Amino acid sequence: MSLPSVDIRRQPRRMGETARRDAWWLKPGLTFLGFSAFIVYSTWAAFQNADYQLGNYLSPFYSPLIFGDGPHAWIEGQPEWWPALLPFSPALFILWAPGGFRFTCYYYRGAYYKSFWADPPSCAVGEWRKKFLGENSIPLILQNLHRYFLYVALLFLLILAHDAWKAMWFMGDDGVEHFGVGIGTIVLSMNVVMLSGYTLGCHSLRHLVGGVLDAFSKSPARKKAYDCVSCLNRGHQRWAWGSLFWVGFTDLYVRLCAQGTWTDWRLF
Ligand code: FES
C-alpha cells in the first residue's frame, strides 16, 4: 500500500513573500522608528556641547566629562590638538563606548538586522539575500567585540553610579553641600538602575560568570551569579528599550533644567 505524500521542498521566496497572516511588519517597523528617533536625538545632543550639566547633575551623554568646563571636568577646556575644522564636543570622546556596546548587543543585532537591513525582514518572510553569510567575515565578525565593549560598559556603570551619588548633594546658602533629593536625583539614579538591568543581563556576562572552557563552572558562587544574570537576561529586550529611553530622557531632563525650561524640584 502506498502512503499519500506531500511535497515539502523549500520554495525560494521573493522579498517580503510569506505565508504569515499576522502583522509581521509591525515590530520591525516600530523598532525602526524607535532606533531612528534615538539616533537622531543622541547625535543632536552629542554635538550641542552645551547645557549638559546643572550643579551636580551631569548628562549621561557627557559622562565621564574627560575634557570640558565646570566642576565635572577631568581636564579643563578643549584639547589643543583638536582639529579646528571639527566641531568639538566632550560627548564625542565617550559615546563610542555605550554606542558600540549596544550596536554589538545580541538582542539589538537581531532587531536592527530585521528593521534596518530587512535581512531577513522577519521570521519566515522572504529576504533579498539568497545566501546566508553569518557573522564569520568582515565586517560582521567585528560583532564579536561585544565582550570587550561589555568591560567598558561595566566601568561606565560605576561612573554613572558615582554621578547619581553626586546628584544627591546640593549647595546650601552656607556655601557647603548638603544631602538632598531632587527630581533630577531620581532621574539620574533611575538611569543607573535601568542601565544596570540592561548591562548585567548581557549574554556575554552569562558566559563570563557561569562558564569555564566548554563547561559550566562548578563554583556555587559562579552558579548563583549565572542564575542572577540569566534572570535579568530573560527580560533583556525590555531592559534594552527601557534603558535606551531613559538614558535619552535623562539627557533631556538635565538639558531642559540647565536651559531654565524645566525647574528641578527639590523633595528635601
Ligand atoms: Fe545585549 Fe550583551 S547581549 S548587552
Side-chain angles (χ1 to χ4, degrees):
M1 189 180 95
S2 66
L3 294 171
S5 65
V6 178
D7 185 359
I8 55 169
R9 273 177 304 172
R10 183 182 175 277
Q11 299 293 326
R13 292 193 176 104
R14 290 192 309 276
M15 171 69 183
E17 187 183 344
T18 182
R20 287 178 64 171
R21 295 277 169 263
D22 61 331
W24 59 264
W25 44 267
L26 187 61
K27 201 168 168 188
L30 290 175
T31 304
F32 179 82
L33 291 177
F35 284 169
S36 300
F38 183 81
I39 291 167
V40 169
Y41 175 77
S42 57
T43 306
W44 173 83
F47 279 99
Q48 292 310 295
N49 189 20
D51 302 324
Y52 54 79
Q53 56 189 332
L54 174 72
N56 277 341
Y57 296 166
L58 176 63
S59 160
F61 285 1
Y62 285 77
S63 181
L65 189 59
I66 299 173
F67 295 98
D69 301 317
H72 299 279
W74 292 5
I75 302 168
E76 195 69 22
Q78 174 178 337
E80 284 174 10
W81 46 263
W82 188 261
L85 288 178
L86 281 184
F88 173 77
S89 172
L92 303 181
F93 288 93
I94 56 157
L95 283 187
W96 60 269
F101 183 54
R102 286 195 189 254
F103 190 79
T104 55
C105 162
Y106 290 72
Y107 161 67
Y108 280 119
R109 272 143 73 176
Y112 69 75
Y113 286 174
K114 292 187 184 79
S115 59
F116 279 75
W117 302 346
D119 189 14
S122 192
C123 297
V125 178
E127 56 191 299
W128 53 272
R129 194 210 297 267
K130 298 295 167 234
K131 215 166 107 189
F132 179 67
L133 297 176
E135 294 176 323
N136 297 324
S137 52
I138 289 286
L140 292 185
I141 199 169
L142 295 176
Q143 302 281 26
N144 288 312
L145 291 174
H146 186 61
R147 167 177 291 211
Y148 302 100
F149 279 117
L150 168 66
Y151 300 144
V152 186
L154 290 170
L155 190 65
F156 270 54
L157 267 190
L158 294 177
I159 294 170
L160 293 173
H162 184 244
D163 288 348
W165 167 250
K166 280 199 301 191
M168 296 175 188
W169 296 90
F170 296 84
M171 187 60 74
D173 295 338
D174 53 3
V176 177
E177 287 193 335
H178 296 275
F179 182 78
V181 170
I183 300 294
T185 314
I186 297 171
V187 172
L188 265 77
S189 303
M190 190 68 187
N191 185 47
V192 178
V193 173
M194 299 301 285
L195 288 176
S196 300
Y198 171 60
T199 308
L200 300 180
C202 171
H203 290 280
S204 295
L205 190 59
R206 283 176 90 201
H207 299 167
L208 219 55
V209 299
V212 288
L213 187 62
D214 293 337
F216 280 109
S217 165
K218 297 205 176 355
S219 151
R222 290 186 65 176
K223 277 188 182 157
K224 191 83 202 148
Y226 180 83
D227 288 345
C228 291
V229 177
S230 300
C231 180
L232 283 171
N233 183 263
R234 282 192 280 279
H236 199 51
Q237 177 180 352
R238 286 191 297 278
W239 285 112
W241 278 106
S243 60
L244 191 77
F245 170 79
W246 201 265
V247 75
F249 175 71
T250 306
D251 175 84
L252 183 70
Y253 183 86
V254 173
R255 186 169 297 283
L256 292 181
C257 289
Q259 289 171 353
T261 308
W262 283 359
T263 302
D264 178 54
W265 297 101
R266 281 280 297 281
L267 304 185
F268 61 87

